[in-house]
Amino acid sequence: MKLAISAELEYYFPDPTDILLQLEAAAIPEQSIEFARIDVTQGEHFARVPSHDAIGDRIWLRLQGQMKVSYSATIAVDRLTADISTLNATPTHLLPGEAVEYLLPSRYCPSDQFQSLAQAEFGELQGGARVAAIRDWIFGHLRYEAGSSTAATGALE
């Protein structure tokens, strides 16, 4: 499957501002970037840095005034698909250390506030069957509407 991606951003910063762009598609084993182009307004500073877990890049900018970013890419996606409902659960105490951060509540996903819902809807399920049921519940109950959220909107809202 091929995806065509394009994004355009335009902001005005009255004072010198540090900006972290996380916009580009990542080259990972299950997807390759056939074409990519990013145009960014020149500023005082531009540096590419590795992203979280070294998946893709981020761009640090420092600039003042008008900032325009234009990004386009063609991505070839070749993801392996599997029936996740057949996967066994891993006991929490056997999870690797790098998985711990994904169990903790965050600014965008206060997971501790979803305990009651998760228990009521999916309490009897385990492992991949639970993950598949959560995925299906989200698909059946939630809808994204453009403009209905901001960068500060979390999963609870």
Side-chain angles (χ1 to χ4, degrees):
M1 167 177 51
K2 289 194 182 191
L3 300 175
I5 301 170
S6 66
E8 295 196 15
L9 306 172
E10 189 169 340
Y11 293 94
Y12 179 80
F13 301 98
D15 299 311
T17 305
D18 293 328
I19 301 150
L20 181 63
L21 290 177
Q22 302 179 96
L23 182 67
E24 299 170 290
I28 59 174
E30 296 176 328
Q31 69 185 30
S32 60
I33 300 169
E34 295 184 346
F35 165 82
R37 178 183 175 101
I38 189 164
D39 295 309
V40 181
T41 302
Q42 291 291 331
E44 178 183 329
H45 179 79
F46 177 103
R48 286 188 171 277
V49 295
S51 191
H52 184 69
D53 289 336
I55 300 172
D57 287 341
R58 294 178 176 158
I59 298 173
W60 270 119
L61 300 172
R62 181 165 179 82
L63 56 80
Q64 179 177 3
Q66 193 73 25
M67 179 190 81
K68 291 184 178 184
V69 178
S70 177
Y71 175 70
S72 59
T74 303
I75 313 300
V77 179
D78 186 25
R79 297 223 168 90
L80 300 173
T81 57
D83 181 5
I84 63 172
S85 66
T86 64
L87 298 175
N88 293 324
T90 299
T92 307
H93 68 278
L94 294 179
L95 291 173
E98 58 269 15
V100 172
E101 69 181 289
Y102 301 104
L103 301 176
L104 302 174
S106 72
R107 171 181 168 191
Y108 295 111
C109 185
S111 54
D112 55 330
Q113 296 181 38
F114 287 100
Q115 295 290 336
S116 298
L117 173 67
Q119 188 58 37
E121 293 288 333
F122 317 108
E124 75 286 350
L125 299 171
Q126 295 295 316
R130 190 173 204 178
V131 173
I134 292 169
R135 176 203 60 208
D136 295 344
W137 186 93
I138 290 169
F139 183 78
H141 288 81
L142 302 177
R143 184 183 72 211
Y144 176 75
E145 289 186 30
S148 63
S149 62
T150 69
T153 305
L156 193 59
E157 289 89 14

